[in-house]
Amino acid sequence: MPEADIERICRQHSLPLTAQRRIVLQALSLRPTHPTVDDLWSDVRQAMPEISRTTVYRILETFAHLGVIRKVGHPDSAARYESRTSRHHHLLCLQCGRMEDLDDASLDTIRLPGLKTGFQIEDYSIQFRGLCSRCSAPAKPRLKRRKTAGRTKA
Amino acid sequence: MPEADIERICRQHSLPLTAQRRIVLQALSLRPTHPTVDDLWSDVRQAMPEISRTTVYRILETFAHLGVIRKVGHPDSAARYESRTSRHHHLLCLQCGRMEDLDDASLDTIRLPGLKTGFQIEDYSIQFRGLCSRCSAPAKPRLKRRKTAGRTKA
DNA sequence: ATTGCGGATGCAATAACATTGCATAAATGA
DNA sequence: TCATTTATGCAATGTTATTGCATCCGCAAT
């Protein structure tokens, strides 16, 4: 998320533009894998060692309520956030919990379920579950090596 | 989940069939809305007041690892479980956090993303976000009442 | 029915995750 | 620069989840 966007967002909502807000949103947008609050806190402390964990919690909650970022559901309980709010999908690794974004325009044409659900639906996203490349690779450890020997690099 | 299934599952995995396991799985299958651990603990204590919270945690984790039940991702941090592991989708209320199941065979034909994702995909489910009937109804509170006056029952 | 084994349970302690109250500090607009 | 308003940091507290260990219970062999 470019600096300019962060400024605009704060001004639009009459929120003081603080260094903490800049740096937290910045850190979030640099993380493609839906970090937890503590992941972000670690990142942010590199540049601002005195920032408080509470502040990170608060900033994320504030912007999530504004719809600027999103809190994503993840089976490993611990809040996770993402900076993208436009439609996209998720790849979830059942082994390590890694969650990556997936963009695929052909998935934009899902027929929304009818009103009989009782829900007024605004958007959707698909969660694909499986094994990420890191976790599926070591799945055949007994295989004899051929010439394209496996990189076991975790 | 019928009693017989619970027995079968335990025998298949050589797990002692305890009263606690029976009652926790039973309680989960009676809850259509993806309860938290404490939701289930409350339910279960009606019939078994001395059951420990820790035990409920452990039973759910055990069976989730076996694939008998599933831990679902939910933006409100607190683990939630569901007893259905066959493909189905979710309706999530952004207001109250309620999450309901949606079955719709026409959503079974999603084209899986290719191997270029690096993921080996096993299954997917769609999360539809919006407002549930309870939360979308009071959304126009300034409206003059007509003959179909609103039930304000939260 | 009794016994013995291994795993499950309950409890208490602890850890991990999250929120709140309040004093201080910083951003904004005049 | 000053006043106002809100954010931040800190410490305390609350909530959610896990762990170690003594005891209990399901289960199978007797």
Side-chain angles (χ1 to χ4, degrees), chain A residues 94-105:
Chain A
L94 296 169
Q95 188 73 42
C96 69
R98 187 181 180 78
M99 189 187 259
E100 291 182 9
D101 281 351
L102 173 73
D103 283 284
D104 188 331

Side-chain angles (χ1 to χ4, degrees), chain B residues 66-86:
Chain B
L66 294 178
V68 172
I69 63 176
R70 185 181 290 158
K71 201 170 183 175
V72 301
H74 189 294
D76 289 357
S77 304
R80 286 166 185 260
Y81 291 87
E82 65 184 0
S83 57
R84 293 191 52 196
T85 55
S86 58

Side-chain angles (χ1 to χ4, degrees), chain A residues 70-79 91-94 98 100 102 104 106-107 110-113 117-133 136, chain B residues 70-79 91-94 98 100 102 104 106-107 110-113 117-133 136:
Chain A
R70 187 181 288 158
K71 200 169 184 176
V72 302
H74 189 292
D76 288 359
S77 304
L91 296 159
L92 173 67
C93 180
L94 296 169
R98 187 181 180 78
E100 291 182 9
L102 173 73
D104 188 331
S106 75
L107 297 174
I110 301 295
R111 194 181 49 71
L112 295 183
T117 61
F119 272 68
Q120 217 175 277
I121 293 168
E122 293 175 10
D123 196 13
Y124 63 86
S125 80
I126 308 179
Q127 180 193 71
F128 293 96
R129 289 183 290 270
L131 295 178
C132 73
S133 51
S136 59
Chain B
R70 185 181 290 158
K71 201 170 183 175
V72 301
H74 189 294
D76 289 357
S77 304
L91 297 159
L92 174 68
C93 180
L94 296 170
R98 189 180 178 77
E100 290 181 11
L102 173 72
D104 188 332
S106 76
L107 297 173
I110 301 294
R111 195 180 47 72
L112 294 183
T117 62
F119 272 68
Q120 217 176 279
I121 293 169
E122 293 176 9
D123 196 13
Y124 64 86
S125 80
I126 308 179
Q127 179 194 69
F128 294 96
R129 288 183 290 272
L131 295 177
C132 73
S133 49
S136 57

Side-chain angles (χ1 to χ4, degrees), chain B residues 1-96:
Chain B
M1 183 164 338
E3 286 279 311
D5 287 355
I6 299 174
E7 283 192 36
R8 185 179 41 73
I9 291 163
C10 285
R11 302 225 187 286
Q12 277 178 3
H13 298 277
S14 314
L15 295 176
L17 175 61
T18 66
Q20 288 87 341
R21 282 179 175 152
R22 254 198 291 255
I23 206 172
V24 169
L25 290 187
Q26 189 64 221
L28 178 61
S29 69
L30 292 175
R31 281 266 203 173
T33 54
H34 312 85
T36 64
V37 178
D38 282 350
D39 289 338
L40 291 169
W41 191 38
S42 307
D43 286 3
V44 161
R45 270 181 301 170
Q46 310 267 341
M48 185 186 273
E50 71 285 10
I51 192 174
S52 149
R53 202 162 167 270
T54 304
T55 296
V56 179
Y57 272 99
R58 276 189 290 226
I59 289 174
L60 293 169
E61 201 200 306
T62 298
F63 288 105
H65 273 108
L66 294 178
V68 172
I69 63 176
R70 185 181 290 158
K71 201 170 183 175
V72 301
H74 189 294
D76 289 357
S77 304
R80 286 166 185 260
Y81 291 87
E82 65 184 0
S83 57
R84 293 191 52 196
T85 55
S86 58
R87 179 174 303 155
H88 65 277
H89 310 288
H90 289 143
L91 297 159
L92 174 68
C93 180
L94 296 170
Q95 187 74 42
C96 70

Side-chain angles (χ1 to χ4, degrees), chain A residues 6-137:
Chain A
I6 300 174
E7 282 193 36
R8 185 179 42 73
I9 291 162
C10 285
R11 302 227 186 286
Q12 277 178 2
H13 296 93
S14 314
L15 294 175
L17 175 62
T18 65
Q20 288 88 344
R21 282 179 176 150
R22 254 197 292 254
I23 207 172
V24 169
L25 289 188
Q26 189 63 223
L28 178 58
S29 69
L30 292 175
R31 280 268 203 171
T33 53
H34 312 84
T36 64
V37 177
D38 282 350
D39 290 337
L40 291 170
W41 189 39
S42 307
D43 286 2
V44 161
R45 270 183 300 170
Q46 310 268 339
M48 186 186 273
E50 72 284 10
I51 193 173
S52 149
R53 202 161 166 270
T54 304
T55 296
V56 179
Y57 272 100
R58 276 189 292 225
I59 289 174
L60 294 168
E61 202 201 306
T62 298
F63 288 106
H65 274 106
L66 294 178
V68 172
I69 63 175
R70 187 181 288 158
K71 200 169 184 176
V72 302
H74 189 292
D76 288 359
S77 304
R80 287 165 185 259
Y81 290 87
E82 65 184 357
S83 58
R84 294 191 50 195
T85 54
S86 58
R87 178 174 302 153
H88 65 277
H89 309 287
H90 289 142
L91 296 159
L92 173 67
C93 180
L94 296 169
Q95 188 73 42
C96 69
R98 187 181 180 78
M99 189 187 259
E100 291 182 9
D101 281 351
L102 173 73
D103 283 284
D104 188 331
S106 75
L107 297 174
D108 282 354
T109 56
I110 301 295
R111 194 181 49 71
L112 295 183
L115 290 174
K116 60 176 184 296
T117 61
F119 272 68
Q120 217 175 277
I121 293 168
E122 293 175 10
D123 196 13
Y124 63 86
S125 80
I126 308 179
Q127 180 193 71
F128 293 96
R129 289 183 290 270
L131 295 178
C132 73
S133 51
R134 308 218 275 242
C135 292
S136 59

